[in-house]
Structures are given as C-alpha cells and as structure tokens.
C-alpha cells in the first residue's frame, strides 16, 4: 500500500528526514511514533506530495506519488495535525465542504456527512461554528472532515490531542471499525497507550530516521530490559546490591526510594527466582513489585528521550 | 461546485455586515435624492387682489398678464380697506394685493416704480409676484423703447410665448439635474463597491487562502484549475449581485427621473470597476492572508483612490498635482465613462479600455506575486 524508501528531506541545513524508510500493508494500522520534531508530519506530507523531497522514492497504491494524480488522491484521507476547518462554516457545512471535494453526488454526500457526524459524536453541535466549539470538539470536527468520504488510506496526524478520554475511546473504537472494513491507517500520536491499543505495527522515529519497527512484542524484544522488579528489605546489607546482581538474567541493579530496582533481560521466572533467593537467605522483604517493560521504556531506551512532552 | 458553494456560503455568513453596508449606502442615496428634488422650484398659481386707481392701458395689461397664470381679482377702489387686505394675507386667504396708483402711466414713462405690492415676504410667493410684475414692465419697456408706443396686448403675447420657451428649457434643466444626481450616485457607488468588495471578498478569501486550508484542499482530488475557476466564478457572481443592487436600486429610487441619464454607460462603468477591484484583491490576496492587513489596505486603497479621482469631491477643487495624479488612476477613468449626460459609446470607449487594461495589469501582477510565493515555499 505504502512504500517509502530512503527518503531524504532537507529544510536548508536541517535534515528533517534522513534516509527514512517505511512500509504499510493493506488494512494495517501503523503507528508513527517519535518525539517532537522527529519528522512525523514531514514524512506524512511527503507521502501526500504536499512536500517535495530531495532523494528517495515513495509509492502509494503501487504508483509513484505525484501531486497531479487525482485518482490516487481520491482514495486518500487526511486528518492534519493543524486544524483545517473554516471558522465561518458550521459543523455540518465544514464536513459537507470537505466531503464535497471527493463526492459530488448530493444524496450520497448527505449520507456520508451524517455518518461522519455520528462517528465523532457531534450530533448535538451540528449547527455550531468552530468558534463556539471547545478545543476537543474542534479536534473531533477536524477528524470528521478527514474521514467523511471513507478513504481507503487514512493519515491521522495526532488526531486526539486535547480530546477527553471518553471521546478518545469512542474515536479509537471508530478507527478499529474502519480497519475492520479494510481501511489502512497511518497514525501518529504522543499517547503510547493509544498506540499500543490501536496499532498493528509501529515505527519509531528519531531525528528523521526510523530506529525501530515492529509489533509491540517485537519491539519489546529488541531492548535489553524486559522486566523490572522493585524490592525493599527490612535489614540493611552492604553486599546486597552485588548479591542481587548475581541472580540469573539480571542486567543491572539500581536504587529507587531506598529500595532496589532490578532490571531483567527476559520476562520468565524472574519473580520465582527472587523469592527463592529471599527464602534461602532468610530475608524479610517490605515491598515487592514487578513491572513489565512498556512502550515508554522501549522509547526511552531507544531514543534516550521521554515521548511525552 | 463545492468550492463555489463554499465561497458563496461564506458571503452569506457576512449577510448582516452586507446588509448594514447596503443600508448605509441607500440611506445616503435617499438623503441626497431628497435634498436634490426640493431644488425643483415649482411656481404655483397666486391668489391676488388688485386695486386699480389708474384704469389705463398698462394697468389693464398688467392685470390681464397676471391672470394668465394666477387669479387676480379687481376690487372696488372706493371701499378699499388696506388693513382688511393685510389681514387676509395673514390668514392666507390671499397671497398678496397690488395697488396701481392713478399716475401709473407717467411713472412708467419716467422709469419709476409703478405699482405697490404687499405680500408675505417669508414665502416664495412674494418672490414669484415680484418677478411676474418685473417681467411685465421689463418687456413693456423694451417694446416702448424700440417702438415709442405702448402695446400691452402684444407684450402679453410675447411674454406667454417666452413662458413656453421657459417650460421647454426647464425640461432640459430637469434632465441635467437627473444626470447630476445619477453621476454623483454612480461616483459614490463606485467607491462603495471598491470598499465593499475589498473588505468582504478580502475577508472571505483570506480564509480560503490560509495555509492549513490550502494544504488540505491540495491533498484532495480537486484540480488547481477547477479550484481557481470556481473561486473566480463565485467572486464574479458576488460582484454582479452587488452591481445589480447598486444599479437597479438607483433605477427604483429615481424611477421617473431618469431621462437624460446615460444608464448603459453607468452600468458598464460599475461592472468594470467591480472587475478592477477583484483584480486588486487578487494581488492583495497573493501578498497576504492577514485580515488586518487586508482590511487596512482595502480602506487605504479605496479611500485614497476615491479622493484622488474626483469621486469624493470635484477634482477642480484640488490642486494641480492632485489633478495630474488623478489622470493615472483607474477610478478617474471610471468617472469619465459617464462624464457627460449625452456621452456617446465611442467617447466612453477610451476610459472603459483604460479601466480594463488596469484590471488586466493587476491580474498579471497577482499571478507573478503568487508564483514567486509558490516557488519560495
Ligand atoms: N517549513 C519548515 N521549514 C523549516 N523547518 C521545518 C519546516 N517544517 C518542519 N521543519 C522542521 O523539520 C523537523 C521535523 O518537523 P515535523 O513537523 O515533521 O516534526 P513532527 O515529528 O511532526 O513533530 P511534532 O510531534 O511536534 O508534530 C523539525 O525540526 C522542524 O523544525
Ligand atoms: Mg507533527
């Protein structure tokens, strides 16, 4: 569906995309993740041929991207990061306008617009102009404008920023339904839970490069720490850190709030091994918690940055 | 036609502002129109009483002449009560009375004032009476000076003929005043259309030209050519609706007072100034999408040009420099399209061509600016 190979995009001295490669298969939801300024929006704009790029290749639906190829454009939808809605038009008129760029049949368009309004749950606000909508409601309108014509390929650039948890859940469910009907979605977000919940595959970007791709479990395997266990003991022992490090599969031991934080390189049998160790040494523990690595750990380890601003 | 519809929908959202601007315009137009028509001086028939002590040829002639357009009642000289007559004027029972002294004829020969009139000085009827009497004696005197004899009857005939001529002339005067009014109206309408289109079209199009929306529309399968086409068509439609309002508004306002007005040329001028304004707007739109700058420029251009083109006040009032500059401004040529009441199409052709060329020039400038901006982004 999408093939992006070795794309380089420069803004004067700044390299926004540095030999960036990316693929998305039919019917997949692919997450594009990365810190601010890593080039997510730039990558999407190149795919949409809104931007020209310096070298590399991009194919969509098996055809080279071309800003004049209207048959390809007709099959694509976009929910841009920056709101693209008319201040003077109300909710219905905005969606109708954008849908009208793709669908000229009045009757069919009317039906599609109604469906889009349902999709983002804006029925109550259909006569409101954006000036009277809250930030989150505007975001929902922005989404409706992008999806109304039922594209086969949908780009969503941080669509759920400022949308409250309940509506976000509603929208994510909607996207899953679209996927079920065969829509391919390219999704960028800063919310890792969202990506974990929604995306079949993820591409992690940093400084214009793709540094890791795969499913959540594939990505997890690519990093050193798989599980972290925090443990505290009643009695102090000088050698304790060293003795913990000798346990199987331990990568490192650090301290946290006066407790020990043990990093394991696998996820198997770490807690039973630790409990066996405690029992055999007659120790009393005050606290014992275990945590599997999350996407945010993956992120931190791969990029050295927290994803959330 | 989604863009076309979208743009018209945007104009519709400005309906309140548009209505206010239209109301303001027609408010002015009606105000001017009323001030103008009250200038039309209508002479009315006067109710007069005459006391004739002279009973001479000239006194009988005067009475006969006054009776052509008025009612002059001769009253008995014995029972004259001046105070009662004054009372009648005060009560508006009569408009005035005339006392012809016994020595009217010798007085006339000597060139002295012949009759004594009394009327309400505050009304226009006073003036009307004076004029009528003066006219009679003037003509009589001219006749006497050339022939050496008095012929009051011929004088009356002569005067009546000259009244016919006057009536004929006053039709021309009416045509001139019709034209003057419509000329001022069209000047003002030209200025108003410029301001209106620059502000309203400027605001609507700045929305469509904002980068986020432009990008978003670029992603869609709408061809750039189709987009431009629909944009231009929608602006032309709005422009023509505005011109129709201005033009037919005037026709309705002045129905019956349109003889001698070159309406066709005025309509052509309004259409041309609309096209010209849209071309200026195109350049502004290519330069900026900032609404404050657009509104500022709109006022600056429209008011500046209006002042320098004789739309706001006659050019003759201004200095020579201003007049020289005006020659180069399209709004000046706009006013020249309908400069005279009896202007012919071939005389209008040149200023029409100038405005059209200005329009084309601005369109070309706009295209150059837009291409430059596209390349730099
Ligand atoms: N028009 C531009 N001119 C110059 N530099 C730009 C331009 N647009 C983006 N950049 C730079 O390119 C880099 C990538 O920007 P991009 O918008 O793609 O980031 P992003 O991953 O979408 O970030 P965010 O998560 O904040 O949306 C950034 O360093 C940005 O400053
Ligand atoms: Mg972005």
């Amino acid at each position: 569906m999408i093939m992006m190979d070795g794309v380089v995009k420069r803004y004067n001295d700044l390299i926004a995309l540095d030999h960036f490669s990316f693929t998305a298969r039919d019917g997949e939801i692919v997450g594009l993740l990365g810190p601010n300024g890593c080039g997510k929006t730039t990558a999407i704009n190149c795919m949409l041929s809104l931007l020209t790029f310096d070298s590399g290749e991009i194919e969509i639906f098996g055809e080279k991207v071309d800003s004049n190829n209207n048959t390809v454009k007709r099959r694509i939808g976009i929910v841009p990061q920056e709101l693209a809605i008319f201040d003077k038009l109300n909710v219905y008129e905005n969606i109708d306008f954008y849908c009208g760029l793709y669908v000229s049949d009045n009757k069919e368009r009317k039906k599609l617009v109604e469906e889009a309004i349902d999709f983002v749950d804006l029925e109550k606000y259909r006569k409101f102009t954006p000036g009277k909508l809250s930030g989150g409601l505007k975001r929902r309108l922005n989404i409706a404008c992008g999806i109304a014509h039922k594209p086969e390929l949908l780009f969503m650039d941080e669509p759920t920023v400022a949308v409250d948890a309940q509506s976000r859940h509603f929208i994510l469910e909607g996207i899953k339904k679209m996927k079920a009907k065969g829509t391919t979605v390219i999704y960028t977000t800063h919310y890792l839970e969202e990506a974990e919940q929604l995306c079949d595959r993820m591409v992690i970007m940093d400084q214009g490069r793709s540094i890791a791709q795969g499913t959540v479990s594939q990505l997890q395997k690519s990093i050193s720490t798989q599980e972290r266990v925090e443990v505290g003991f009643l009695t102090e022992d000088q050698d304790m850190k060293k003795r913990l490090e000798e346990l199987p599969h331990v990568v490192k031991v650090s301290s946290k709030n006066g407790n020990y934080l043990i990093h394991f390189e696998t996820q198997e049998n770490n807690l039973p091994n630790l409990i066996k160790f405690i029992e055999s040494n007659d120790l009393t523990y005050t606290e014992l918690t275990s945590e599997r690595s999350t996407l945010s750990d993956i992120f931190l380890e791969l990029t050295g940055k927290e994803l959330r601003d | 036609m989604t863009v076309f519809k979208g743009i018209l929908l945007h104009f519709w959202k400005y309906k309140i502002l548009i209505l206010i601007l239209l109301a303001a315009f027609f408010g002015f137009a009606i105000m001017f129109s009323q001030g103008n028509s009250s200038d039309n001086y209508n002479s009315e028939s006067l109710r007069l009483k005459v006391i004739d002590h002279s009973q001479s040829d000239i006194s009988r002639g005067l009475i006969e002449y006054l009776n052509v357009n008025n009612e002059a009642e001769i009253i008995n000289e014995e029972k004259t009560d001046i105070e009662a007559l004054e009372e009648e004027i005060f009560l508006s029972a009569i408009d005035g009375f005339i006392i012809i002294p016994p020595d009217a004829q010798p007085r006339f020969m000597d060139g002295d004032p012949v009759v004594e009139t009394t009327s309400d000085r505050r009304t226009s009827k006073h003036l009307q009476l004076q004029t009528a009497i003066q006219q009679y004696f003037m003509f009589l005197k001219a006749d006497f000076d050339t022939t050496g004899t008095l012929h009051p009857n011929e004088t009356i005939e002569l005067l009546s003929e000259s009244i016919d001529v006057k009536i004929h002339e006053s039709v021309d005067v009416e045509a001139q005043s019709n034209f003057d009014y419509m000329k001022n109206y069209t000047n003002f309408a030209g200025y108003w259309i410029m301001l209106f289109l620059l502000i309203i079209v400027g605001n609507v199009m700045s929305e469509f030209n904002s980068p986020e929306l432009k990008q978003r529309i670029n992603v869609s399968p709408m061809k750039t050519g189709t987009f431009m086409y629909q944009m231009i068509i929608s602006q032309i439609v709005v422009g023509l609706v505005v011109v129709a309002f201005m033009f037919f508004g005037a026709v309705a306002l002045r129905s019956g007072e349109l003889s001698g007005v070159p309406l066709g040329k005025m309509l052509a001028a309004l259409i041309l100034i609309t096209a010209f304004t849209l071309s200026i707007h195109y350049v502004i739109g290519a330069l900026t999408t900032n609404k404050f700058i657009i509104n500022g420029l709109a006022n600056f251009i429209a008011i500046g040009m209006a002042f320098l083109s004789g739309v706001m006040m006659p050019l003759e009032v201004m200095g020579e420099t201003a007049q020289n500059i005006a020659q180069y401004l399209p709004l000046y040529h706009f006013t020249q399209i309908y400069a005279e009441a009896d202007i012919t199409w071939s005389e209008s052709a040149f200023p029409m061509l100038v405005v059209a060329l200005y329009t084309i020039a601005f369109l070309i400038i706009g295209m150059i600016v837009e291409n430059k901006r596209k390349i730099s982004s």
Side-chain angles (χ1 to χ4, degrees):
Chain A
M1 168 115 346
I2 302 180
M3 195 279 296
M4 212 171 160
D5 189 26
V7 173
V8 176
K9 169 69 191 174
R10 282 197 183 83
Y11 290 113
N12 302 321
D13 288 343
L14 187 134
I15 301 184
L17 290 179
D18 184 2
H19 297 279
F20 180 72
S21 297
F22 168 91
T23 53
R25 289 183 283 271
D26 277 12
E28 262 188 333
I29 301 183
V30 184
L32 212 50
L33 276 73
N36 285 134
C38 72
K40 302 180 294 289
T41 302
T42 306
I44 289 182
N45 285 348
C46 286
M47 291 187 242
L48 292 168
S49 65
L50 280 173
L51 284 173
T52 54
F53 42 93
D54 300 280
S55 64
E57 261 182 67
I58 305 178
E59 277 181 17
I60 293 184
F61 298 120
E63 290 184 49
K64 272 218 169 69
V65 293
D66 170 7
S67 59
N68 295 318
N69 191 337
N70 287 322
T71 36
V72 167
K73 282 175 159 185
R74 197 169 289 283
R75 298 160 73 182
I76 298 177
I78 162 95
V79 177
Q81 181 173 14
E82 303 285 343
L83 290 174
I85 48 184
F86 291 94
D87 290 339
K88 287 273 181 289
L89 302 186
N90 66 31
V91 165
Y92 184 93
E93 290 162 345
N94 260 297
I95 305 173
D96 187 57
F97 176 85
Y98 283 114
C99 195
L101 295 171
Y102 300 82
V103 181
S104 50
D105 182 74
N106 283 331
K107 222 169 154 186
E108 192 191 342
R109 190 170 68 243
K110 207 168 166 182
K111 191 180 123 240
L112 289 172
V113 174
E114 293 300 340
E115 282 175 20
I117 289 176
D118 285 344
F119 186 90
V120 291
D121 198 15
L122 279 178
E123 180 56 40
K124 267 191 290 182
Y125 304 95
R126 58 191 295 141
K127 286 265 153 63
F128 282 48
T129 51
K132 290 184 195 147
L133 296 178
S134 70
L137 293 175
K138 270 187 235 173
R139 284 268 150 206
R140 278 150 70 172
L141 173 57
N142 198 37
I143 294 173
C145 290
I147 56 103
H149 63 287
K150 300 240 162 97
E152 293 169 51
L153 171 60
L154 176 63
F155 292 90
M156 301 184 99
D157 197 351
E158 301 190 26
T160 55
V161 175
V163 174
D164 64 40
Q166 209 180 341
S167 324
R168 184 182 306 170
H169 178 75
F170 192 79
I171 289 166
L172 293 187
E173 289 305 311
I175 295 172
K176 281 183 191 160
K177 272 182 215 149
M178 289 173 72
K179 175 195 145 85
K181 286 186 184 151
T183 311
T184 310
V185 184
I186 314 299
Y187 195 94
T188 83
T189 181
H190 280 183
Y191 300 105
L192 290 169
E193 324 81 76
E194 220 173 62
E196 253 181 301
Q197 188 193 334
L198 192 69
C199 299
D200 300 311
R201 236 157 30 80
M202 280 172 235
V203 176
I204 294 180
M205 284 183 80
D206 194 28
Q207 295 183 343
R209 280 169 297 132
S210 137
I211 52 173
Q213 306 202 14
T215 60
V216 180
S217 56
Q218 280 169 345
L219 287 173
Q220 235 158 12
K221 288 197 183 103
S222 72
I223 59 169
S224 54
T225 305
Q226 297 288 313
E227 187 173 8
R228 281 167 309 183
V229 176
E230 190 179 338
V231 61
F233 298 107
L234 201 61
T235 47
E236 281 294 320
D237 187 335
Q238 298 285 313
D239 292 337
M240 187 55 82
K241 185 170 184 243
K242 220 166 166 200
R243 284 162 66 194
L244 287 172
E245 276 170 356
E246 280 159 8
L247 286 168
H249 307 304
V250 170
V251 184
K252 63 170 181 183
V253 177
S254 52
S255 52
K256 186 185 175 192
N257 314 327
N259 296 334
Y260 297 96
L261 189 65
I262 313 166
H263 299 246
F264 293 96
E265 63 183 359
T266 64
Q267 289 186 359
E268 279 100 57
N269 295 324
N270 294 328
L271 269 185
N273 286 345
L274 182 61
I275 288 167
K276 219 181 279 168
F277 167 82
I278 292 168
E279 281 172 352
S280 60
N281 288 288
D282 251 349
L283 293 163
T284 319
Y285 62 89
T286 52
E287 197 173 335
L288 181 63
T289 54
S290 157
E291 211 177 44
R292 296 219 164 158
S293 289
T294 61
L295 204 51
S296 108
D297 298 310
I298 298 170
F299 211 81
L300 188 63
E301 188 167 325
L302 287 174
T303 65
K305 290 173 202 151
E306 291 278 359
L307 188 54
R308 283 286 179 82
D309 332 307
Chain B
M1 294 310 266
T2 207
V3 173
F4 176 74
K5 251 176 56 190
I7 293 178
L8 288 191
L9 204 54
H10 266 83
F11 282 107
W12 183 241
K13 304 278 167 176
Y14 281 95
K15 56 184 176 292
I16 305 286
L17 182 60
I18 293 175
L19 275 178
I20 291 172
L21 285 173
L22 273 176
F25 176 84
F26 283 110
F28 274 118
I30 289 167
M31 233 163 67
F32 288 139
S33 142
Q34 280 171 347
N36 195 281
S37 61
S38 72
D39 282 354
N40 287 338
Y41 173 76
N42 291 321
S43 59
E44 291 168 47
S45 164
L46 301 174
R47 292 154 300 162
L48 304 168
K49 286 194 172 168
V50 185
I51 307 135
D52 187 3
H53 295 292
S54 142
Q55 301 287 349
S56 59
D57 282 350
I58 60 167
S59 69
R60 277 189 288 273
L62 174 64
I63 294 162
E64 199 176 324
Y65 170 60
L66 287 174
N67 264 321
V68 174
N69 287 318
N70 315 291
E71 296 162 35
E73 183 193 340
I74 303 167
I75 54 171
N76 199 325
E77 50 191 300
E78 262 92 73
K79 299 182 206 155
T80 308
D81 180 355
I82 301 290
E83 267 179 38
L85 286 173
E86 280 172 352
E87 180 87 12
E88 279 185 63
I89 292 176
F90 182 73
L91 295 171
S92 290
I94 56 169
D95 296 313
F97 61 89
I98 302 163
I99 302 169
I100 306 175
D103 55 345
Q105 203 135 340
R107 271 170 177 256
F108 169 73
M109 303 286 191
D110 295 345
D112 288 338
V114 185
V115 298
E116 205 181 296
T117 63
T118 307
S119 60
D120 189 344
R121 287 181 170 271
R122 292 167 304 180
T123 66
S124 63
K125 288 170 180 163
H126 171 74
L127 202 70
Q128 201 184 327
L129 178 58
Q130 298 294 328
T131 313
I133 292 170
Q134 254 171 33
Q135 260 175 358
Y136 171 76
F137 285 115
M138 224 166 63
F139 273 73
L140 199 64
K141 180 116 182 38
D143 185 37
F144 177 73
D145 285 350
T146 47
T147 63
T149 44
L150 285 171
H151 312 96
N153 285 335
E154 280 166 33
T155 301
I156 294 163
E157 244 168 65
L158 208 70
L159 270 168
S160 306
E161 267 169 37
S162 87
I163 287 168
D164 280 350
V165 172
K166 275 229 166 129
I167 288 166
H168 197 73
E169 264 175 11
S170 84
V171 170
D172 274 357
V173 168
E174 200 183 299
Q176 184 64 36
S177 97
N178 285 349
F179 170 69
D180 284 344
Y181 175 82
M182 272 304 280
K183 187 178 159 176
N184 290 333
Y185 177 96
T186 312
N187 282 351
F188 186 48
Y191 157 73
W192 187 90
I193 286 178
M194 273 188 89
L195 192 64
F196 172 86
L197 286 180
L198 285 177
I199 289 180
I200 303 283
V201 177
N203 278 295
V204 168
M205 293 322 295
S206 74
E207 190 124 339
F208 272 82
N209 286 331
S210 79
E212 293 84 32
L213 293 169
K214 242 190 170 164
Q215 272 208 344
R216 178 67 186 79
I217 293 168
N218 269 344
V219 175
S220 79
M222 160 92 33
K223 291 194 190 83
T224 325
T226 320
F227 179 77
M228 287 293 280
Y229 167 76
Q230 294 194 16
M231 208 166 82
I232 291 167
I233 292 288
S234 56
Q235 289 181 19
I236 289 176
V237 166
V238 170
L240 288 181
V241 168
V242 170
V243 168
F245 257 103
M246 297 286 102
F247 183 74
F248 292 110
V251 170
L253 207 66
R254 305 282 297 173
S255 59
E257 289 166 297
L258 289 169
S259 64
V261 179
L263 281 178
K265 281 117 195 163
M266 285 173 171
L267 180 61
L270 288 176
I271 290 174
L272 280 168
I273 203 69
T274 302
F276 170 70
T277 310
L278 291 176
S279 75
I280 298 189
H281 159 261
Y282 177 53
V283 177
I284 300 178
L287 285 171
T288 180
T289 57
N290 182 315
K291 285 189 183 180
F292 290 105
I293 299 181
I294 287 175
N295 287 332
L297 274 177
N299 281 300
F300 180 75
I301 293 173
I303 295 174
M305 262 207 237
F307 260 105
L308 283 174
S309 308
V311 160
M312 292 292 221
M313 54 166 138
L315 268 183
E316 294 76 40
V317 179
M318 289 184 271
E320 209 171 301
T321 336
Q323 289 187 35
N324 284 334
I325 295 173
Q327 312 258 315
Y328 297 99
L329 292 177
L331 217 57
Y332 167 79
H333 294 280
F334 159 75
T335 61
Q336 294 308 300
I337 297 174
Y338 52 91
E340 306 290 337
D342 52 0
I343 196 164
T344 63
W345 280 106
S346 58
E347 285 168 319
S348 292
F350 176 71
M352 281 167 74
L353 184 71
V354 174
V355 180
L357 286 177
Y358 267 106
T359 308
I360 293 167
F362 272 91
L363 285 177
I364 292 170
I365 294 171
M367 278 179 212
I368 293 170
V369 173
E370 194 161 73
N371 276 335
K372 272 236 172 85
R373 208 175 57 170
K374 258 188 203 149
I375 290 162
S376 69
S377 74

